[in-house]
Amino acid sequence: MPERIEDYEVLGIIGTGSFGTCYKVRKRNTSHVFVWKAVDYGSMSEERKKLLVSEVNLLRELRHPNIVRYYDRILHKESATIYIIMEWCVGGDLATMITKCKRNNTYLEEAFIWRALYQTSRALQACHSPGRPVLHRDIKPANLFLDSDFNIKLGDFGLARILTNAKDDDKEDENDSLYAQTVVGTPYYMSPEVVKGSKYNRKSDVWSLGCVIYELCSLTPPFSSGNIKSLTTRIKGGRFERIPSHYSNELQQMITFMLTVNHEIRPSIETILHHPSVVTHIATWS
Ligand SMILES: CN(C)CCCNS(=O)(=O)c1cccc(Nc2nc(OCC3CCCCC3)c3[nH]cnc3n2)c1
């Protein structure tokens, strides 16, 4: 029996993402808490709607301990809204965690940062697997969530890409780079190759992940500026301050490796997961 929106009780709104409104909901018959993202598809063209439904169906197949679980979708024709039902991540997102550290003048534990690197890499490995290259395109702290055991959950798969364009279906964006279209804020995590207009590729996710891991250490992104022009110049230059001195040289070297400007020599996710530093740190933790 397909689910209906009446099966859920809305507990509250938690915000609007790059594509729709996000609610915390409780399923009436089990009391389990979920998130649903309500997306208005009323203004979408027929083919965009088909793309959206096929993308959401694809997401339901993405089952991984470090990827936010997509459970189901409810097509509410009366309001031309699709409700995407997802796992509620009780620990919130890394952007909020970084903000709290800045406010309290505290730094994150190095062990947590290695774990975040490992778990996010495992999530990307699942997306980069040859069978189904679902490139993420929007790796940033606000898209990385935490469960009750502080495990990382990568969220907002692909959706941002498809749904951000949904609004202006009629007009094509002048900048065709899909990544640029999905960036709803300042592109702090955009890779040099995408800045230069090349196609987004698996190594672009590695660059963005490098920026996120840097930010978990320094509480600020490796490349920032007041305007996009100088930000993109800094990204292409690839130079950044060392992470705070209490973090190990090993972690500094791993981040430097991921932030290699030339994507051809930048490590792949596989290289990162098999890197001796990662293997050593994960062994001490697990
Ligand atoms: C940085 N801020 C904009 C957001 C801070 C975050 N606070 S919050 O939203 O209340 C909060 C507090 C505690 C837990 C959670 N859990 C959670 N949040 C999601 O999305 C957040 C939402 C995404 C669109 C933009 C607005 C925020 C999930 N998506 C799938 N599973 C999710 N689980 C959220």
Side-chain angles (χ1 to χ4, degrees), residues 188-193 195-196 207 210-211 214 221-224 229-243 252-263 265-266:
Y188 290 114
Y189 313 99
M190 187 180 273
S191 62
E193 62 274 9
V195 163
K196 290 177 198 155
W207 173 277
C211 291
Y214 180 95
F223 311 101
S224 63
K229 182 87 190 77
S230 61
L231 173 61
T232 52
T233 306
R234 289 185 184 180
I235 290 172
K236 288 183 284 190
R239 277 193 303 284
F240 51 89
E241 296 287 310
R242 189 200 190 278
I243 54 177
Q252 170 66 18
Q253 283 150 20
M254 175 53 72
I255 291 167
T256 305
F257 194 18
M258 296 171 79
L259 296 180
T260 300
V261 170
N262 177 346
H263 68 277
I265 47 177
R266 191 181 306 151

Side-chain angles (χ1 to χ4, degrees), residues 114 117-119 121 250 254 258 271-285:
W114 281 107
L117 168 58
Y118 175 73
Q119 293 183 338
S121 297
E250 248 187 322
M254 175 53 72
M258 296 171 79
T271 304
I272 293 166
L273 286 169
H274 293 98
H275 193 283
S277 301
V278 173
V279 174
T280 315
H281 281 88
I282 292 312
T284 50
W285 150 61

Side-chain angles (χ1 to χ4, degrees), residues 13-261:
I13 200 167
I14 49 178
T16 46
S18 44
F19 46 76
T21 308
C22 193
Y23 298 84
K24 185 177 176 181
V25 297
R26 180 188 291 127
K27 195 164 182 194
R28 296 184 196 280
N29 63 358
T30 62
S31 291
H32 288 167
V33 173
F34 297 92
V35 159
W36 76 20
K37 295 200 174 175
V39 178
D40 173 0
Y41 62 79
S43 59
M44 281 188 195
S45 59
E46 277 316 303
E47 103 254 14
R48 183 83 62 187
K49 272 184 232 171
K50 287 199 187 82
L51 197 55
L52 167 62
V53 174
S54 64
E55 188 91 355
V56 173
N57 290 339
L58 201 66
L59 294 175
R60 268 197 299 177
E61 290 161 36
L62 258 184
R63 296 190 183 197
H64 188 277
N66 299 116
I67 292 178
V68 168
R69 179 79 190 280
Y70 283 73
Y71 288 101
D72 207 343
R73 58 164 169 76
I74 301 174
L75 226 44
H76 192 245
K77 290 195 173 59
E78 299 84 284
S79 61
T81 304
I82 181 169
Y83 294 88
I84 300 162
I85 300 155
M86 293 182 267
E87 168 185 10
W88 164 252
C89 301
V90 68
D93 69 301
L94 293 191
T96 306
M97 177 183 250
I98 290 166
T99 305
K100 281 184 186 144
C101 285
K102 277 200 277 201
R103 193 184 313 128
N104 305 337
N105 264 326
T106 54
Y107 282 112
L108 294 165
E109 293 279 320
E110 178 155 342
F112 169 77
I113 296 171
W114 281 107
R115 213 170 86 162
L117 168 58
Y118 175 73
Q119 293 183 338
T120 313
S121 297
R122 290 296 300 263
L124 289 173
Q125 182 186 41
C127 319
H128 291 181
S129 60
R132 189 188 38 240
V134 180
L135 298 185
H136 192 273
R137 281 192 173 78
D138 204 5
I139 308 282
K140 59 184 181 182
N143 274 345
L144 288 165
F145 298 95
L146 293 163
D147 70 6
S148 50
D149 300 316
F150 282 88
N151 292 307
I152 294 282
K153 302 271 183 174
L154 177 56
D156 285 355
F157 256 84
L159 288 181
R161 175 166 61 89
I162 297 291
L163 299 169
T164 307
N165 311 331
K167 291 201 185 80
D168 41 24
D169 205 29
D170 40 3
K171 74 173 171 54
E172 274 310 300
D173 245 13
E174 54 286 351
N175 177 346
D176 246 356
S177 120
L178 278 178
Y179 187 82
Q181 283 170 17
T182 58
V183 174
V184 191
T186 309
Y188 290 114
Y189 313 99
M190 187 180 273
S191 62
E193 62 274 9
V194 173
V195 163
K196 290 177 198 155
S198 310
K199 218 164 109 43
Y200 193 88
N201 63 73
R202 287 178 171 81
K203 296 286 190 76
S204 310
D205 278 337
V206 172
W207 173 277
S208 305
L209 178 54
C211 291
V212 169
I213 300 302
Y214 180 95
E215 191 169 348
L216 289 178
C217 300
S218 307
L219 307 179
T220 178
F223 311 101
S224 63
S225 164
N227 67 74
I228 299 273
K229 182 87 190 77
S230 61
L231 173 61
T232 52
T233 306
R234 289 185 184 180
I235 290 172
K236 288 183 284 190
R239 277 193 303 284
F240 51 89
E241 296 287 310
R242 189 200 190 278
I243 54 177
S245 54
H246 63 273
Y247 291 116
S248 67
N249 287 333
E250 248 187 322
L251 186 50
Q252 170 66 18
Q253 283 150 20
M254 175 53 72
I255 291 167
T256 305
F257 194 18
M258 296 171 79
L259 296 180
T260 300
V261 170

